[in-house]
Every structure is written in C-alpha cells, then in structure tokens.
C-alpha cells in the first residue's frame, strides 16, 4: 500500500513538472522569511560575511527524512549563490550521514557555480551526535566565524532554543523552520519572520531552484485540496446518512 502511494505521488509530481514547463511562471504568495532570505544572500556576499546553514539532527531513515532533504536542497542553492563570497558558507549537522551529504552538497554547489577550486571541505561539519550536543557545537559558529545569518532548516526540537539564543546574543539574522512542533514553537517565538508547517518544503520553489521544486509545491497544493475535498465529502456523507 505504501509503495502504491509513493508511486502515485511520484507520477503526480512528474505530471506537475511537465505541465509546469508549458505554463508561465507562477506568482506565489509572499512569505516574509523568504524575502528576508533573498536580501540576506546578497548582503552576505557584499559584506564578505559568512552564512551558516544548520540542517538539524534528523535522519534519512525515519519520518524526519523530508525535512533533511529540504535542508540539503536549501544548502545547495545557498552554496551556489554565495560561492564567490570572501568567507565560504558553513553547514552543520547532527547526524553522521547528513554531515557527509552536507559536504557533498556544498561541493556540488561550488561546482555548479564554476568555482570548484574555492570549495573548502571543512565547511561541512558534524557538530554533535545528540540533539543537544549538536546544538552546543553549532551555536559557537555564530560567535567565532563572522556569521551574518543563521539559516535553520531541518529537524529541530527544543534544542533549537540554544541556536536561537546564540543568534540573538550575537545580533545575527535568524531564519528557521522545523518539522517538529516543539521546534516550530521555539522558532516562532525567536524569529522575526517564522516559517510554519509546509513552508519548510517551499524554499526551493521560492528561491527559483528549478522546475522540480516548483512542480513539487504545485503538487502539494493539489493534494491539499484533494484532502480537504475528501474530508468535506465524508462529513456530508455522514450528515446525509449515506455512511
């Protein structure tokens, strides 16, 4: 059953990509956090400051895999667009596999920008093996490495408060999203423009990362309306005594 659902969703995504290529660019609703992120990327290159992308401590083998992949997609875009900065972007992770993928993603971003020789392998880091150990290791990056913005995108729980507090103490811009309700609550209270719910997975589309990201967001909207229609239909059938 799960395999069938995955196949159907994959088919819907591919159909969305094909349909999207035939349509003019969409106009998305404004999300202040992504507007701030756009300006942050440009300012970091102009100022010669460093960006820190934190991927959380999620695993690729459980329910947090989606947020981890979304964080890697964001890292790929940010690495490519800030590759010519005087201070290279830094990525931190709290999972060994995610740490290795962070290094590979940074490498791919620099290669796509045509400046592969500027890639520094040590900018992709595993800062801890437990959630709080990871946060304790990552929070020092803001203080010691001339960071102008912390971009938190992945699986975070209550430990994200340490990263938020470190950003506030160093007067560093904080943009964050988590797939965990506790993490979302902390970030909502700690950031000026919070990303809520499925906005976590919209980063690629809002940063013009490619047709696949745009189609993915379109498919999410379609499936959301289908779920709403199914719920309303079930409620009506129950009210009418059909079921």
């Amino acid at each position: 059953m799960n395999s069938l659902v995955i196949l159907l969703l994959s088919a819907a995504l591919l159909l969305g990509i094909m349909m999207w290529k035939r349509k003019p660019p969409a106009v998305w609703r404004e999300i202040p956090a992504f507007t701030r992120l756009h300006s942050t990327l440009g300012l970091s290159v102009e100022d010669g400051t460093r960006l820190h992308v934190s991927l959380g401590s999620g695993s690729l083998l459980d329910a947090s895999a989606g947020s981890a992949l979304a964080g890697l997609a964001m890292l790929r875009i940010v690495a490519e667009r800030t590759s010519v900065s005087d201070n290279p972007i830094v990525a931190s992770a709290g999972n060994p596999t995610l740490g290795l993928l962070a290094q590979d993603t940074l490498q791919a971003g620099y290669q796509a920008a045509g400046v592969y020789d500027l890639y520094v392998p040590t900018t992709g880091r595993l800062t801890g093996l437990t959630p709080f150990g990871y946060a304790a290791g990552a929070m020092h990056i803001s203080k010691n490495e001339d960071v102008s913005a912390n971009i938190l995108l992945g699986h975070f729980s209550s430990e994200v408060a340490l990263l938020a507090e470190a950003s506030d103490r160093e007067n560093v811009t904080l943009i964050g999203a988590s797939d965990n309700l506790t993490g979302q609550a902390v970030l909502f209270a700690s950031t000026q423009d919070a990303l809520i719910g499925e906005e976590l997975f919209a980063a690629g589309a809002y940063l013009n990362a490619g047709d696949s990201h745009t189609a993915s967001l379109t498919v999410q909207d379609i499936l959301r309306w289908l779920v709403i229609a199914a719920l309303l239909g079930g409620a009506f059938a129950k009210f009418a005594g059909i079921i």
Side-chain angles (χ1 to χ4, degrees):
M1 184 63 182
N2 290 336
S3 299
L4 178 61
V5 172
I6 293 174
L7 287 174
L8 290 175
L9 290 177
S10 300
L13 179 59
L14 291 174
L15 179 61
I17 293 174
M18 291 187 292
M19 292 176 61
W20 193 261
K21 289 183 177 181
R22 300 176 183 177
K23 294 177 60 178
V27 178
W28 307 113
R29 68 178 176 89
E30 182 180 356
I31 298 180
F34 289 131
T35 302
R36 178 180 292 272
L37 179 57
H38 271 289
S39 61
T40 297
L41 295 181
L43 288 174
S44 69
V45 175
E46 293 178 7
D47 297 342
T49 54
R50 194 187 305 275
L51 294 179
H52 171 215
V53 176
S54 193
L55 302 174
S57 55
S59 170
L60 296 177
L61 302 177
D62 58 25
S64 62
S67 62
L69 293 175
L72 288 170
M74 168 70 80
L75 177 60
R76 168 70 166 70
I77 301 166
V78 175
E80 181 177 351
R81 297 189 181 179
T82 61
S83 57
V84 296
S85 176
D86 293 336
N87 286 317
I89 181 177
V90 173
S92 62
N95 177 277
T97 303
L98 198 55
L100 291 174
L101 288 175
Q103 291 183 336
D104 185 68
T105 301
L106 285 169
Q107 185 177 10
Y110 277 81
Q111 188 170 7
V115 288
Y116 179 77
D117 55 317
L118 297 180
Y119 167 64
V120 180
T122 55
T123 53
R125 305 169 187 174
L126 175 67
T127 59
L129 295 176
T130 65
F132 279 96
Y134 151 72
M139 63 188 294
H140 292 289
I141 296 176
S142 302
K143 179 178 180 180
N144 300 320
E145 302 198 28
D146 193 24
V147 170
S148 61
N150 282 321
I151 303 170
L152 315 180
L153 201 68
H155 179 76
F156 301 91
S157 187
S158 56
E159 74 278 358
V160 76
L162 294 175
L163 297 173
E165 194 274 334
S167 299
D168 182 66
R169 186 171 60 245
E170 299 299 327
N171 197 27
V172 170
T173 299
L174 176 64
I175 299 172
S178 172
D179 62 345
N180 180 275
L181 289 177
T182 302
Q184 284 187 32
V186 174
L187 289 171
F188 184 81
S190 305
T191 60
Q192 182 175 355
D193 301 310
L195 290 168
I196 303 299
E198 72 277 2
E199 291 176 352
L200 165 69
F201 303 102
Y206 273 82
L207 294 178
N208 302 317
D211 290 333
S212 61
H213 292 273
T214 304
S216 175
L217 190 57
T218 303
V219 171
Q220 288 180 47
D221 289 337
I222 293 172
L223 294 176
R224 184 181 297 109
W225 282 109
L226 289 176
V227 171
I228 293 173
L231 292 173
L232 292 176
F236 175 79
K238 184 69 173 179
F239 179 78
I242 299 175
I243 58 174

